[in-house]
Each structure stands twice: as C-alpha cells, then as structure tokens.
Amino acid sequence: MKLVKRNILLNPGPATTTDTVKNAMVVPDICPRELEFGELTLGVRDDLIKIAHGEKNHTCVLLTASGTGGVEACLTSVVPQNKSVLIVSNGAYGERMQAICDAYGISHVDYNIPAGKPVDLFKLEELIKSHKVDLSHVAFIHHETTVGILNPLNEICTLTHKYNLENIVDAMSSFAGIDIDVERDHVDYLVSSSNKCIQAMAGISFVIARLESLKKTAGIKRNFYFNLWANFEYLNKNKQFLFTPPVQTLYALRQAINEYNQEGAYNRYARYASMYEIMKKRVLELGFEFLVEEKYHAKLLTSILDPKSSHYSFNEMHDYLFERGFTIYPGKVGSINTFRLSNIGEIYPSDIQDFLNIFEEYLRLKKII
Ligand SMILES: *Cc1c(COP(=O)(O)O)cnc(C)c1O
C-alpha cells in the first residue's frame, strides 16, 4: 500500500481520509456498465440508506457532483412547477438554496435569520401558515457549515408534515457525523456528499429520498442531468448510473463506508464530539470567543471570532499552520470576521492536541495573545 503524507484538514470538508480509502481508488480499469460495477453501485446505495435508517421507506439516488449538485438536483426535481418552497436560511448554504431556485425560476419564500442565530419554530410555523396554499416543500440546512450551528431536524420536519408539506434537508456535513434517522426524524429528502463525515473522496452527491415522494416527481420536467427520478429509474432498472460515474471515487466511497461500519456510528459521533470538546476548552482558555451560542453547536465545526490584536492576519496564521501540516479555514459572516476549525474526518484527539500546541505557539510568537 502506498503511504501518503498525512495532512490534518480542519477545513469543513473535504476531510482527511485514511490511506486505505486513498488506495481503494487504485483498481483495474473497468467499464462502469459491467455488472461487477453495478453491484458495487447498488451496494453503496443500500449502505447509504442504512446509515440514514431509511430501509423501510427510502431509496437513494447517486449523482456525479459535489454536494451543491445534489442540493440543486433535489430542489429542481421535486418542487412542482406551480408551487413554492420555503427556504430557511441562517448561513451561506441556506442562501445558496435560494440562489439555486432563482437560477431556475423556482418560486421561494425565504425565512432569513442572521447567520449563526437559531431557527424560531414559532415564526417558522407562522410563515408556513401564511403561505400554505402556495407551498409544497420546506428546505433547510441541518448543520449550517458556514457557522457551525445545528438546526433542529426532527422539529422542523415534524412541522412540515403537520401542514402536509414535504421537507428537503441539506445534511451535507452532518450525515454520518451526527445521528440521523430519516424515519424517526420524518425526513423526506436528505442530501449529502462523499467527502465530509463519511470520509471519502469528493465527487459523489446522494439524495436519500422517500420513495412515495420521489414517485410523485416523475412528471416534473425542469432539468436534465440532475433529474432525480430519471437517475433513480435508470439505476434501478439497469444497475448503472444514468451517466458516467466517477468510477474510482465510488471504490473509495465503498471503502469509506466499510470503515464507517467498522468504527460504528456511535463511536464516530463520540470521536468527533470529543475533539470538539478538547478544541473548545483550549480555544476559550486562550481568550477567543465563538460566533454561535454553545447550546446550538453541532460540535462538528467551530466559528471563532478573529482576535482583536493588530498583529493578527488570517493568511499568515494559515500559512504557519499549513507548513506544519494543518489546514484551517477562513469565514466571513456579514461584517463579522471569523475563522473556522472543523473536527470531522480521519483525525483523532491527539491531532487536535498537536494542532492546539502549534496554534498557541504561533499566537505567542506573534504576540497576538
Ligand atoms: C459542503 C457543503 C455543501 C456543498 O458544497 P460543495 O462545495 O458543493 O461540496 C452544501 N451544504 C453544506 C451545508 C455543506 O457543508
């Protein structure tokens, strides 16, 4: 097995992967129309459904795309031509859903909340009530990765069903990192991708869809490549992706799912959460402040307000850490400057300790603290 330099990615995905996932991509060339590849595809699909606990009523559509492609596919495939979608936004990914709808001329009602602030379920219900005749769906982000806030999945989905609406959940950076049960949580459409908490390579997005809901979308014709129903039907009938799949990326995803199953869902959540706790304690001790109120944290990513010191430069700090194997990520929320530390991927508490030591060393060296 080829050993590769290990970088600790603290950016919010693509996340650090294992060498076994990287090496899983080195396989003999294969035509993806061969049955062997079809079986691999269906196996991956079924396992993704299992991870979301959707075996009873859900299927899964695999697409060659980054996560945004999956969100675009979902919004443009399922909202009927004469209906609107209510989009809850408390960060950049919520705004992105609105931009996708604008690009396709899909009518949307926006519930905009300042980034990092929680959803007010009472307000959301009022908004649903006042637009009920026009709406077919409510769309929102589960873990809003711009800021690290966790929106209440079960509560929002339950509310949509109370008004006979369906829901679309962008669970890009929470799927496989936080316990999600599409049955228990009443999720109709859940979108995620291969390169975040499932710890594989970028290139595959997937939509875990309630089959009864998906069936109703067969007549909606607004898109082509990204048509969920067409992609679903083709894969189901032919055991093949409708269009060319990212062959090697799928092998890596297969391996990553095996490793997820070996680690176990609970252990993965616990590993991520323990790294968050270590990070939180030390960063607060160093005098930093968080953007999001503690009780709303997803514990997968932390938005930290830039230090006030005139010696501080994000780029310089980034480069110092990067040279030492750690990648951090900037973040700007309205007029507030932040930087972000994510704790997903194949990383461990000892990596976070190492990072924090070098982070503190840098801050002292530059007299920022
Ligand atoms: C990563 C992410 C996306 C997708 O981003 P891509 O760059 O298209 O992969 C969408 N929504 C959320 C919440 C994300 O974290």
Side-chain angles (χ1 to χ4, degrees), residues 12-13 65-69 71 93 96 141-146 170-174 193 195-196:
S66 83
T68 305
V71 175
Y93 289 108
R96 186 175 295 181
I141 315 295
H142 184 210
H143 170 219
E144 178 47 86
T145 326
T146 354
D170 170 346
M172 212 65 66
S173 60
S174 56
S193 70
N195 58 277
K196 290 190 174 167

Side-chain angles (χ1 to χ4, degrees), residues 180-218:
I180 297 174
D181 180 326
V182 289
E183 206 59 55
R184 176 197 69 200
D185 297 325
H186 311 287
V187 180
D188 298 313
Y189 295 96
L190 179 140
V191 188
S192 190
S193 70
S194 50
N195 58 277
K196 290 190 174 167
C197 302
I198 198 69
Q199 300 185 176
M201 300 302 162
I204 299 174
S205 187
F206 45 90
V207 180
I208 295 173
R210 191 182 295 282
L211 189 54
E212 283 309 307
S213 302
L214 188 63
K215 279 183 183 161
K216 290 187 295 184
T217 69

Side-chain angles (χ1 to χ4, degrees), residues 64-93:
T64 305
S66 83
T68 305
V71 175
E72 178 164 337
C74 201
L75 287 165
T76 59
S77 298
V78 312
V79 180
Q81 247 97 9
N82 58 347
K83 288 286 180 182
S84 299
V85 51
L86 192 158
I87 300 174
V88 181
S89 169
N90 51 359
Y93 289 108

Side-chain angles (χ1 to χ4, degrees), residues 281-300:
K281 184 166 178 287
R282 185 84 165 271
V283 169
L284 290 177
E285 277 167 10
L286 293 173
F288 288 91
E289 284 174 52
F290 296 158
L291 179 74
V292 174
E293 209 183 315
E294 162 101 47
K295 65 178 172 191
Y296 301 120
H297 275 217
K299 305 191 177 183
L300 300 171

